[in-house]
Amino acid sequence: MSQNPENDFVYTTPRHVGIIMDGNGRWAQRRMLPRSHGHKAGVDALKKTVRAAREFGIEYLTLFSFSSENWSRPEGEISELFALLRLFIRRDLAELHKNNICVRVIGSSEGLPSDVLNLLVEAENLTRNNDAQVLVIAFNYGARDEIARAMKLIAKKVKNDEISSDEIDSQLISDHLDTKGIPDPDMIIRTSGEKRLSNFLMWQATYSELIFVDCLWPEFDKSTLSDCLVEYGNRNRKFGGLVKDTAS
Ligand code: FPP
């Protein structure tokens, strides 16, 4: 349990929060601005959210930054998203490191420009031993692709007699996903009023509390996150069992 110093309420802090940052384009369109402005404003919201999550004591924060389906966007928008990632790592990596944040990247390396890949590897290597918070950047990520890659790894191990097919269980599958070692998300937030997972952490989200908020991603801030924590605190998590009060 944690005390929110500003709002004076008590809540159970989720250990791991995942966020589908949706609505950058609509935010820009409503202001008659190009979509790229929405993504820039999205990075500002991202930075504020990392800070707020740390203040709230959230240990793992996973941000859906580029999905494997985003390749279907116009080339110019894809380049813009890559440019923002480059800028974010070049400008903000030192501060993340100073704040003892460990950066993990999940997703496929396929198709990514080599300099983007190098920057992601550099961020992971520099911050590897940090332990204040884990910031998981889902970049070129899609849950079906992640599960397919895990299946390939497992099939290879069975073929090489490293494991037997009888050993395949849900833990072994989890251990071959990009999120190996990261606890499943307790809460997944999606902004912009859309109500779906869109290929985000589908294996890991089995018992996640899903929270949908109407605000567009660039409008998301500490107080929205705090509202989500309150809603999370009001949910009864059963994990397929019974709620404590009704269990006797
Ligand atoms: C969804 O908005 C958002 C994305 C596709 C990308 C999220 C990216 C950022 C917040 C900035 C990039 C940050 C880094 C560090 C790379 P949308 O464009 O789908 O919005 P719309 O549904 O209103 O069109």
Side-chain angles (χ1 to χ4, degrees), residues 21-26 35 39 42-43 46 65 70 73 77 81 85 88 139 217:
M21 308 181 286
D22 196 9
N24 293 346
R26 275 163 284 170
R35 291 176 59 81
H39 292 315
V43 177
L46 179 155
S65 306
N70 286 154
R73 295 193 175 206
E77 183 165 343
L81 287 166
L85 178 75
F88 173 66
F139 203 84
W217 174 249

